[in-house]
Amino acid sequence: MWKGTFGAIGTPGENPINLGFDINIGGHAAGGPGSYHGQHNFSAKWRNGSNVWDVPGLEQYHGKDINLTEALTREAIKTLDSAMEVGTPFFLYMSHYAIHAPIEEDYRFIEKYMGTGMDTTEAKYASMIESMDKSLGDIMAYVQNKGLVKNTIILFTSDNGGLSAVARGGEPHTHNKPLSSGKGSAHEGGIREPMIVSWPGVVTPGSNTDKYVIIEDFFPTILEMANISAYQTIQQIDGQSFVPILNGNDASPNDRSLFWHIPNNWGPTGPGIGASSTIRKGNWKLIYYHTDQRFELFNIPNDIGESTNLADIEIETKKQLSIELGEYLRQVDAQMPTLKKTGEKVPYPGEVLDL
């Protein structure tokens, strides 16, 4: 199961089959659907949108009273049935379009939210979240009913924080409170995401951890979970396995450096939004904005809402993190944007400090 954006239209990556998957259902280059409604054929035609948004491969549901999330769930379960028939291990990558725009209600759940007096857009958004939650529940129920619970690992996470800058009801940049901002932002509302792992016999039910991980860690983690060690990759593996965190054997300090690099403008404006590079190390997070080479520095445990910029107070911390961030960007040959006024490349962080 696949929601695209690993490859643009016309590139090999738009089709997950080219990336090693055996089956692709509903996946293509677009990051969002034309519609969530089967009555609209999951097409953007109803809103005069381009057909590049139309979800492929689900023609059997066209014209029917069914939500896209439910259609994909049914197809996922059919695929699991096929794997069960041949008795092979399976890897299901269930990447829902929900809850990406357009914000469209799931008719099964919308009424109870509308009945609370919620903003109409927020009620639709809530119904989309419940639709996705039901999908996970249905898949977990399938695993249980087939007697697969003891040897099935479930990893749940998001690719970004909740949408807040545009398209939502209420005040922008507040939907993920107490976190600041949302999707597209380097603030915590944009990069701090929900994550749940079910691994019977390894992860203690109801447990939690303060150790942080990043999406690059999933690849080496899944390989270790599957007991795959003798593998080779063309590309360098950026992440590290978080299996030791899950099994309680990670005694390392919680000061690993994480990096984000977004050398482009997403479109909307707001806290933490804009071309930037970011480092998180221990309690500290430093954001370097490319347009004006300014810094934001936050102590995350003390200021989860990122309300107080300490960049002009904690000078030594800013210096150390800036140098480390710049060294990392050089090491990976990260592309820096060009300043239109001067035609010059944006300098690396560390080069703009008065040290």
Side-chain angles (χ1 to χ4, degrees):
M1 315 304 295
W2 185 272
K3 176 185 78 89
T5 65
F6 273 173
I9 294 174
T11 67
E14 71 172 324
N15 187 344
I17 299 298
N18 296 327
L19 301 178
F21 286 84
D22 296 319
I23 299 172
N24 168 36
I25 301 171
H28 63 141
S35 171
Y36 284 94
H37 295 155
Q39 298 97 320
H40 291 146
N41 300 337
F42 311 124
S43 168
K45 185 176 180 180
W46 69 277
R47 54 186 169 96
N48 297 318
S50 168
N51 60 8
V52 301
W53 300 102
D54 297 358
V55 180
L58 297 175
E59 288 76 16
Q60 66 269 38
Y61 298 102
H62 286 186
K64 296 183 179 180
D65 181 15
I66 189 171
N67 190 276
L68 174 59
T69 303
E70 173 66 13
L72 291 173
T73 303
R74 292 184 186 181
E75 292 301 306
I77 291 174
K78 289 180 185 177
T79 304
L80 295 182
D81 274 335
S82 299
M84 288 290 293
E85 288 177 5
V86 296
T88 60
F90 60 82
F91 172 75
L92 173 68
Y93 180 58
M94 189 66 176
S95 183
H96 274 300
Y97 285 93
I99 49 179
H100 196 283
I103 298 176
E104 292 183 295
E105 67 272 37
D106 188 317
Y107 295 122
R108 297 172 294 175
F109 310 117
I110 185 64
E111 289 303 323
K112 67 180 178 183
Y113 295 109
M114 292 296 292
T116 66
M118 290 178 65
D119 172 273
T120 300
T121 301
E122 291 303 282
K124 291 180 179 180
Y125 199 80
S127 76
M128 295 172 73
I129 293 175
E130 182 165 356
S131 178
M132 187 176 64
D133 286 348
K134 181 181 183 300
S135 171
L136 177 57
D138 289 346
I139 293 172
M140 292 179 69
Y142 174 92
V143 170
Q144 182 173 8
N145 292 337
K146 295 295 183 179
L148 302 173
V149 171
K150 291 184 178 180
N151 63 342
T152 299
I153 303 170
I154 298 175
L155 300 106
F156 174 91
T157 191
S158 176
D159 59 348
N160 50 252
L163 180 66
S164 192
V166 293
R168 295 288 299 273
E171 183 180 352
H173 315 300
T174 65
H175 300 89
N176 300 303
K177 289 288 186 177
L179 306 182
S180 170
S181 203
K183 174 181 178 177
S185 171
H187 280 198
E188 292 295 282
I191 63 174
R192 181 184 288 255
E193 301 144 17
M195 181 180 169
I196 304 171
V197 178
S198 171
W199 190 358
V202 177
V203 176
T204 303
S207 60
N208 58 67
T209 179
D210 292 330
K211 294 289 182 73
Y212 50 73
V213 300
I214 196 167
I215 199 69
E216 291 94 323
D217 296 339
F218 271 60
F219 178 65
T221 299
I222 292 171
L223 291 178
E224 183 173 352
M225 287 174 164
N227 293 320
I228 298 173
S229 57
Y231 61 88
Q232 294 181 340
T233 60
I234 296 174
Q235 74 280 14
Q236 176 180 329
I237 297 176
D238 294 319
Q240 64 184 46
S241 172
F242 52 81
V243 166
I245 297 177
L246 299 177
N247 62 23
N249 292 327
D250 184 11
S252 62
N254 198 26
D255 61 356
R256 172 190 176 195
S257 297
L258 303 182
F259 302 94
W260 294 262
H261 181 60
I262 310 173
N264 63 291
N265 287 317
W266 177 44
T269 59
I273 298 176
S276 64
S277 302
T278 301
I279 179 174
R280 169 73 190 268
K281 188 171 187 178
N283 293 340
W284 294 98
K285 184 170 78 173
L286 181 78
I287 307 172
Y288 170 62
Y289 293 96
H290 300 161
T291 301
D292 53 7
Q293 292 89 65
R294 64 185 173 90
F295 292 91
E296 286 182 335
L297 178 67
F298 302 106
N299 185 302
I300 299 301
N302 293 340
D303 183 19
I304 192 65
E306 293 168 293
S307 60
T308 304
N309 181 8
L310 301 175
D312 293 331
I313 299 174
E314 299 287 346
I315 304 298
E316 185 60 28
T317 300
K318 179 176 71 171
K319 172 184 174 181
Q320 293 175 1
L321 293 179
S322 297
I323 293 173
E324 183 175 352
L325 178 57
E327 289 176 347
Y328 172 80
L329 295 174
R330 290 187 186 89
Q331 174 187 333
V332 299
D333 195 23
Q335 181 182 5
M336 298 297 291
T338 300
L339 296 169
K340 291 183 178 180
K341 290 184 178 180
T342 64
E344 297 179 353
K345 288 287 182 68
V346 171
Y348 287 108
E351 294 176 355
V352 298
L353 293 174
D354 184 15
L355 303 180

